[in-house]
Amino acid sequence: KNYKRTIKIETSHKKLMESNNMSAPPVESTSLLNNNLARKAYEGDDTEASRVYHENKTNTEQHQTEGGMLKPLIFGGLDGILTAFAIVAGSAGGALSPKIVLILGFSNIFADALSMGVGEFLSSKAENEWILSEREREKWEMENYPEGEIQEMIEIYVERGMSKDDATVVIQIMSKYKDF
């Protein structure tokens, strides 16, 4: 039985490695696996490869972090395209010279980029400051009235679908660790 399981794991591991254009090392050396293999297993809906990765890894699994600027980039790009088009179309419709139309178009693109960049920076800064102030408030509440904070967390977990008993056990354990 273990022999069949080993062959199945080796086959799944080899398939995952080959799909990433990597030569498959023996199963014993899977601690050197590329962290992207977990993502590839997910994207390929390969539960066996995901299991193999998690059972044999010794390093920390990495998660995507590149998407943080995706929303503002798309929003800013669309806004910039639309307003630049409106400026250029209006200028051209007003029978202005091509030189003036180009100057207005590029000036608008520059101003929009600057405005979006500063706006994103300031809104992110404000959001981070708010999050940190909320964290400080929660920390203060936990230091000064832990029973109330523990009860609040139990209620939040119950609202999210956990049974009251399970939520109580989880929160009681977590509350033992001050920095958790």
Side-chain angles (χ1 to χ4, degrees):
K1 185 176 179 180
N2 285 339
Y3 176 73
K4 288 182 181 180
R5 182 174 181 267
T6 302
I7 289 174
K8 187 174 183 181
I9 290 171
E10 287 175 352
T11 303
S12 181
H13 180 254
K14 183 178 178 185
K15 182 174 78 173
L16 185 61
M17 296 294 287
E18 288 171 352
S19 72
N20 288 291
N21 297 322
M22 301 170 76
S23 58
V27 173
E28 291 79 22
S29 64
T30 56
S31 64
L32 302 176
L33 282 174
N34 181 339
N35 286 335
N36 287 332
L37 296 181
R39 173 145 295 281
K40 296 290 184 184
Y42 163 73
E43 289 171 353
D45 199 25
D46 189 346
T47 55
E48 181 66 18
S50 177
R51 187 184 61 73
V52 168
Y53 171 79
H54 284 88
E55 285 180 356
N56 295 301
K57 73 177 182 133
T58 58
N59 51 354
T60 304
E61 181 176 337
Q62 294 183 356
H63 296 273
Q64 288 184 345
T65 58
E66 298 85 24
M69 293 302 292
L70 191 58
K71 182 179 175 183
L73 185 66
I74 290 171
F75 178 74
L78 288 174
D79 182 59
I81 289 169
L82 291 174
T83 56
F85 174 76
I87 294 284
V88 169
S91 301
L96 295 176
S97 73
K99 183 178 177 181
I100 299 291
V101 171
L102 288 174
I103 290 171
L104 289 172
F106 284 119
S107 297
N108 180 64
I109 290 171
F110 176 74
D112 274 352
L114 187 61
S115 171
M116 286 290 182
V118 170
E120 176 60 27
F121 171 77
L122 292 176
S123 66
S124 294
K125 185 176 185 282
E127 182 179 22
N128 288 337
E129 287 173 357
W130 176 78
I131 289 169
L132 291 174
S133 72
E134 283 297 298
R135 182 178 177 146
E136 284 300 313
R137 182 181 61 84
E138 291 293 337
K139 183 179 175 184
W140 179 85
E141 289 176 349
M142 188 65 175
E143 289 170 356
N144 291 287
Y145 185 51
E147 300 81 17
E149 282 301 298
I150 289 170
Q151 187 57 42
E152 180 183 342
M153 288 301 300
I154 291 170
E155 291 169 5
I156 290 171
Y157 278 46
V158 168
E159 286 176 13
R160 291 185 169 194
M162 197 179 272
S163 74
K164 184 170 175 98
D165 291 339
D166 287 347
T168 302
V169 169
V170 167
I171 298 302
Q172 290 295 340
I173 291 171
M174 288 171 47
S175 66
K176 289 181 190 178
Y177 303 93
K178 184 177 180 177
D179 293 329
F180 192 76

